[in-house]
Amino acid sequence: MLKMRHCQMVKVREEEEQKKEKARIVLPQDGILSLEGFVNVYESELREGKFWGIAHDLAVMGEALPDAGVFESRYDRMYCSASLHPFAVLDTVSTVPCPNKSEPSDHLPIAASFVPR
């Protein structure tokens, strides 16, 4: 049973890898990307949430997006039940855009310690 299950898992992984390979964007043999192909690349980037890639490409072409300053908001949150009380909270803040030399990710760490109520 275990051996058969392992074989099924390997087969599923192989099928997933084949799907990924088919989804890859490949330049045409003549090296010229059509307008439709170009639009498809950027639509794919946007669907995957890779806005920074498009912003980078625009900047390289001399059409940089306006600088809106450092993004100041919060996406990451921690929740706990009513039976716990937060005892200590680490809330990391950056005053410069991330990633940067001292913070290699745009996801800043958060942590908390809880005690029973």
Side-chain angles (χ1 to χ4, degrees):
M1 178 81 176
L2 181 62
K3 190 171 190 174
M4 184 171 196
R5 182 173 170 84
H6 175 71
C7 292
Q8 289 172 340
M9 289 173 60
V10 170
K11 185 176 180 181
V12 169
R13 285 190 197 130
E14 287 173 357
E15 290 171 359
E16 288 173 358
E17 289 301 316
Q18 288 173 353
K19 287 178 187 176
K20 287 180 187 176
E21 288 178 16
K22 289 178 187 175
R24 282 187 69 181
I25 297 169
V26 180
L27 280 176
Q29 287 183 339
D30 61 6
I32 299 172
L33 189 62
S34 68
L35 176 59
E36 180 184 1
F38 177 81
V39 169
N40 288 341
V41 168
Y42 280 94
E43 284 179 345
S44 174
E45 294 286 296
L46 289 171
R47 273 193 300 278
E48 294 176 17
K50 298 179 181 176
F51 304 105
W52 62 89
I54 295 170
H56 172 267
D57 290 351
L58 288 170
V60 167
M61 295 186 303
E63 298 292 334
L65 296 173
D67 183 4
V70 177
F71 179 74
E72 296 180 20
S73 190
R74 181 160 329 287
Y75 283 109
D76 298 324
R77 290 183 166 60
M78 294 181 101
Y79 296 94
C80 68
S81 69
S83 65
L84 297 174
H85 177 75
F87 175 73
V89 176
L90 169 68
D91 189 12
T92 310
V93 177
S94 180
T95 58
V96 296
C98 294
N100 56 51
K101 288 181 182 178
S102 63
E103 196 59 61
S105 173
D106 60 344
H107 295 270
L108 301 177
I110 60 171
S113 293
F114 298 94
V115 294
R117 286 192 187 259

